[in-house]
Amino acid sequence: LDLDPHLVIAAQKPEVQKAFREKVSHERIWAELAGKQDGDHWKPGALIGQNPVKAVLLLKQLGLMENIFDPTEEDMKILGGTVDDMVPWDTSQNNPHHAFSIWTHTFHVFTHLINRTTEVTKEDSETYLVRNLAALLHDIGKRFKGIQGTSVTGSTNYHGHEETSAKIAELVLTRLHASTRIIERVKTLIDVHLRAHTLL
């Protein structure tokens, strides 16, 4: 099924976005993303359901990526900035090693991993969720102006973005009431995601 275009337009209205932030509980958001027990069965959430790629596209299209995953003002104080220091997802990386915006790169990584996944069983659904969250948030730290630098050639660099991304992921997932184990696993994956690159 596809959403009616009028519904998409309505969801993007500032008053609807504000109502989402203020009225929908973090527990409900987490249940919709990760899944929840439904009687005797486990109901998979959007990030581990039948079509995580479409789910993420809808989150972005409806303006929910920012509402769910962006750091709050309190989070930004911990990072040493304010919410105004977070640039949009669609910001160009302005770097010769990246042809895509932060969002397009993130979405390509997420899609690539989903496309390489075979059937997910109940036993490994947590690992699947952890991996998908790590893919979605692995570069969110690049959006923080506090870690952006400029090289002598004028391109933007993001030294330490993996640590910042891991910290943002921890803050956001804690707010969403994810389990400590999931938070630690996501943080670890994000924190080390450049290790293989540095060994090449």
Side-chain angles (χ1 to χ4, degrees):
L1 299 176
D2 291 316
L3 294 182
D4 186 291
H6 294 92
L7 180 60
V8 175
I9 293 170
Q12 294 171 342
K13 290 183 176 180
E15 61 268 28
V16 175
Q17 297 282 318
K18 183 174 184 288
F20 177 85
R21 289 191 298 273
E22 295 177 354
K23 296 183 178 182
V24 182
S25 72
H26 295 137
E27 293 88 347
R28 173 65 187 274
I29 293 170
W30 179 247
E32 294 296 335
L33 291 174
K36 61 183 177 180
Q37 194 68 32
D38 187 14
D40 295 331
H41 305 285
W42 177 259
K43 179 184 176 184
L47 293 182
I48 58 173
Q50 293 184 354
N51 198 336
V53 170
K54 187 168 185 178
V56 166
L57 275 177
L58 284 173
L59 289 175
K60 183 69 170 65
Q61 184 181 19
L62 298 176
L64 298 178
M65 281 295 298
E66 291 81 0
N67 279 318
I68 295 172
F69 295 111
D70 273 18
T72 63
E73 197 68 66
E74 291 73 25
D75 295 337
M76 291 304 298
K77 288 178 183 176
I78 295 171
L79 295 170
T82 69
V83 291
D84 293 331
D85 292 322
M86 291 294 286
V87 300
W89 278 101
D90 292 314
T91 299
S92 166
Q93 295 192 70
N94 185 36
N95 187 290
H97 302 293
H98 289 285
F100 303 115
S101 70
I102 297 170
W103 169 251
T104 303
H105 166 74
T106 296
F107 186 68
H108 280 318
V109 169
F110 187 85
T111 303
H112 176 73
L113 288 175
I114 296 298
N115 289 341
R116 295 180 61 84
T117 303
T118 55
E119 183 180 356
V120 179
T121 65
K122 181 179 178 181
E123 288 71 29
D124 60 13
S125 60
E126 181 183 299
T127 295
Y128 187 51
L129 174 63
V130 164
R131 190 202 66 183
N132 291 351
L133 283 166
L136 205 55
L137 299 174
H138 79 282
D139 270 357
I140 194 170
K142 287 182 176 180
R143 296 178 50 215
F144 177 41
K145 293 178 184 176
I147 62 98
Q148 296 177 2
T150 304
S151 71
V152 292
T153 60
S155 62
T156 306
N157 55 56
Y158 304 92
H159 298 306
H161 79 271
E162 60 273 31
E163 292 93 344
T164 302
S165 297
K167 186 60 180 176
I168 291 174
E170 177 185 20
L171 293 167
V172 169
L173 294 177
T174 299
R175 187 174 70 246
L176 291 174
H177 303 285
S179 71
T180 301
R181 184 169 70 175
I182 286 177
I183 294 170
E184 289 302 317
R185 293 180 71 189
V186 172
K187 273 179 54 184
T188 299
L189 278 177
I190 294 174
D191 198 36
V192 302
H193 81 265
L194 287 182
R195 294 282 178 88
H197 174 73
T198 58
L199 293 174
L200 294 177

